[in-house]
Structures are given as C-alpha cells and as structure tokens.
Amino acid sequence: QVQLVESGGGLVQAGGSLRLSCAASGRTISGYAMGWFRQAPGKEREFVAVIRWGGITYYEDSVKGRFTISRDNAKTTVYLHMNSLKPEDTAVYYCAVSGSYSSDYPPGSWEYDAWGQGTQVTVSS
C-alpha cells in the first residue's frame, strides 16, 4: 500500500500562512487523486481540498480563496498552501489518496485508500 507522511504543521497567528506537505511512498499507481482532510476537536473529519491526477482541484467552501492545493511534477508530493489562517482552521490535517473518484460526486465522498498520520495546525487568535 501507499504510505503518506504529512509535515509542515505548527502554531501560527491568525492571518498568517503555513504550508503543509504530504509525501507518498511505497506502492503507487497512476491516476489517483491526492487531497487533504482535517478534524478539529469535537468535530467530524471534513474534506478540505483535493487535486485529481489531471490537475483539476476542488475545495471546501470555507477555504476557497485562502488555501491552494498543488503537487510536484512526479505527483508523489502534495502541498496545501494556507493563507489568511483563522482560529477556525485549527485542526489535525490529514493527507489522503483516492484511486476511485468522479466529478459526478462530491470529492469528500470519494474512496480514499490511504491516509497519513496527520499534522497539527494551530491558529491563535
């Protein structure tokens, strides 16, 4: 299976920026999407952003215009550039990979086959 390792989390003041990285290793296949989820204390895990193999991106409404998802040329590392951070963005951020997806369905409902351990993002007010 694919192993995913997140990095880049930390403590930042409101209005600041942070870049998360997720590196994939092990068994990988072509055609998968890579994305980010997050889970805040007391809340359900929610979809944040995803980039399809072909480069199409999707974002949760609350992060549109503030977050940008991107990847390297090898498509083995995905990034989440987070700007104008808010305390509400505080959460553990998880990287995930999906090999089964369709634009006919919400990206949060795609089948995600591998998950990272998560990286903590804390935004102070």
Side-chain angles (χ1 to χ4, degrees):
Q1 62 178 2
V2 177
Q3 290 80 50
L4 303 173
V5 180
E6 303 97 334
S7 62
L11 175 65
V12 64
Q13 291 185 328
S17 300
L18 210 59
R19 188 187 76 163
L20 306 183
S21 299
C22 174
S25 62
R27 183 179 61 82
T28 59
I29 60 173
S30 298
Y32 57 76
M34 299 182 69
W36 294 91
F37 287 72
R38 66 185 181 186
Q39 187 167 25
K43 295 185 178 181
E44 302 270 359
R45 182 176 296 183
E46 69 171 345
F47 167 78
V48 177
V50 67
I51 183 166
R52 289 175 54 151
W53 186 258
I56 298 173
T57 59
Y58 302 83
Y59 296 93
E60 163 65 31
D61 287 343
S62 65
V63 307
K64 287 181 179 177
R66 299 190 298 121
F67 291 9
T68 302
I69 188 169
S70 62
R71 65 189 177 200
D72 66 350
N73 291 333
K75 300 182 179 181
T76 56
T77 303
V78 65
Y79 305 94
L80 187 68
H81 296 81
M82 304 184 293
N83 299 314
S84 302
L85 283 163
K86 306 174 181 179
E88 306 93 275
D89 296 317
T90 296
V92 176
Y93 284 71
Y94 298 91
C95 178
V97 171
S98 175
S100 301
Y101 55 89
S102 171
S103 60
D104 293 334
Y105 304 95
S109 70
W110 296 347
E111 295 291 331
Y112 290 88
D113 308 299
W115 296 80
Q117 290 295 304
T119 185
Q120 176 71 48
V121 172
T122 302
V123 184
S124 62
S125 60

